[in-house]
Amino acid sequence: MLVVVALTLAFPWGGAAVARRLADRLPPRWACWMLAGAAVLLAGGTVSALVGLFHVPFLASLEQLSLTRVREEWPAAVPLAGAAGAVMAVQLVLLVRRWVQHRSLLKRAWLSADEGTGDGDLLVVPGTDVDAFALPGYRGRRGRVVVTSGMVRSLKPGEREVLLAHERAHLAGRHHLLSAVVDLVAAVHPAIRSLREALVFHLERWADEEAAAVVGDRRVAASAIARAALAGSAHGRVAGYPLLSATSGPVPQRVQALLLPEPAAPRGGVRRAGVIALAGTVVAAAVAALALAYGLHEYVEYAARQLIGAPSGCSSVWGALSAWFGSGAP
């Protein structure tokens, strides 16, 4: 059982590495959805393993096994359950704190945007700062593109069009939702943080391609992204959810990609590879969960037979679990 739990908790490291490699071979839109899905699946598998480990003493109590007897036969059971509970508590604290930070940053951004003027979805904020970002909707207010007057002065007219198209692509694609999901589930396992960094890059690439399509000139788009990043480098704002900006991510790689031909839609082989990778992740998570459940079941059954001489079979365990969930015994 402990081997199964260890493998389940270690699986995200390998899964994240595979997801990043596959994302580099996919068009930006596909890469973003794949990375977000992989992050959620890996986080779900980690939480499932911790929940299962945390419930080992509780399952034993359902078979009327005292914790004293359990500790005598399996000394590691209770400490590991306590450690799993502590890890889940830390995960919950980190997740809540991150969510509060998101909402606080979004609120402050809207307060600063109220100083701006403009028409439609564009707000120009006066000041010397050089910045531009997509501001998601907040409390019934629809999303806006926020640009400082310093950024406007730093760009040529054609480059401004690229910048606005880039930020509008973030809003239209609701990229902040994908970014938020991955940013939050990164609190579950350290391996998922690398997926968060990869997602920021591919979200920006997605918006870059949309902007290049709008202006119809990939070189102009590349020049605008490079100039905006250079002009805003002294500002020092850390971009990311919920303020996706054209100056975030590894800009040199983004500019280099824009100077290449437009990425083609995934061919059959690449599409199949993406589907197989996602299916493999789902299957691996399902197998790990089933193996963990089977290991917990065998642990309780073996404990019951050894400590109180209960008959073999799963009827007592399933009856207790069914009563716990209120679903009736199978």
Side-chain angles (χ1 to χ4, degrees):
M1 180 188 68
L2 296 181
V3 174
V4 173
V5 173
L7 289 176
T8 305
L9 296 178
F11 178 74
W13 295 106
V18 171
R20 294 196 307 272
R21 292 291 296 273
L22 179 60
D24 291 337
R25 298 177 178 272
L26 294 173
R29 184 193 301 266
W30 283 61
C32 292
W33 283 105
M34 190 276 297
L35 288 170
V40 172
L41 287 173
L42 294 175
T46 300
V47 173
S48 298
L50 292 172
V51 169
L53 191 60
F54 178 69
H55 278 85
V56 167
F58 175 72
L59 293 175
S61 69
L62 292 179
E63 291 290 344
Q64 300 179 355
L65 304 178
S66 68
L67 289 180
T68 301
R69 297 296 301 277
V70 172
R71 284 195 296 265
E72 290 175 356
E73 296 294 329
W74 296 278
V78 175
L80 285 176
V87 171
M88 287 190 293
V90 171
Q91 290 173 339
L92 180 60
V93 170
L94 292 176
L95 191 149
V96 172
R97 186 176 69 175
R98 191 62 179 158
W99 174 255
V100 172
Q101 290 174 347
H102 289 170
R103 302 304 293 178
S104 176
L105 178 59
L106 189 57
K107 181 179 179 180
R108 294 198 307 270
W110 268 106
L111 289 176
S112 64
D114 287 339
E115 302 173 1
T117 59
D119 296 325
D121 63 348
L122 176 63
L123 286 175
V124 179
V125 179
T128 58
D129 291 338
V130 180
D131 203 1
F133 52 88
L135 183 57
Y138 180 70
R139 293 184 176 180
R141 307 172 69 177
R142 63 188 180 90
R144 308 293 287 272
V145 174
V146 179
V147 182
T148 63
S149 56
M151 179 65 82
V152 172
R153 290 191 297 268
S154 300
L155 302 179
K156 300 176 182 178
E159 294 171 340
R160 295 172 197 162
E161 184 181 358
V162 172
L163 182 70
L164 296 180
H166 178 102
E167 302 304 343
R168 284 170 177 150
H170 280 317
L171 292 178
R174 303 185 70 81
H175 295 173
H176 61 281
L177 295 181
L178 292 176
S179 180
V181 168
V182 176
D183 197 34
L184 291 174
V185 300
V188 172
H189 198 288
I192 304 177
R193 296 172 187 170
S194 63
L195 295 183
R196 178 179 60 187
E197 297 169 359
L199 179 66
V200 170
F201 169 68
H202 288 287
L203 284 175
E204 296 303 331
R205 283 283 300 116
W206 183 354
D208 288 344
E209 292 297 333
E210 295 286 340
V214 169
V215 299
D217 190 327
R218 299 180 64 81
R219 289 190 173 276
V220 171
S223 174
I225 298 301
R227 188 185 296 272
L230 183 63
S233 61
H235 184 56
R237 182 178 63 82
V238 178
Y241 176 81
L243 308 179
L244 295 171
S245 171
T247 60
S248 61
V251 175
Q253 291 91 322
R254 291 169 51 199
V255 171
Q256 182 180 10
L258 282 172
L259 294 177
L260 297 175
E262 181 180 358
R267 298 186 300 272
V270 177
R271 185 183 296 109
R272 284 193 297 273
V275 172
I276 290 172
L278 286 177
T281 304
V282 174
V283 170
V287 169
L290 289 175
L292 179 60
Y294 178 78
L296 294 175
H297 167 264
E298 289 299 307
Y299 162 78
V300 176
E301 284 296 306
Y302 181 74
R305 291 195 301 270
Q306 293 295 317
L307 300 184
I308 63 176
S312 61
C314 63
S315 59
S316 58
V317 173
W318 278 115
L321 290 176
S322 299
W324 179 29
F325 287 108
S327 58

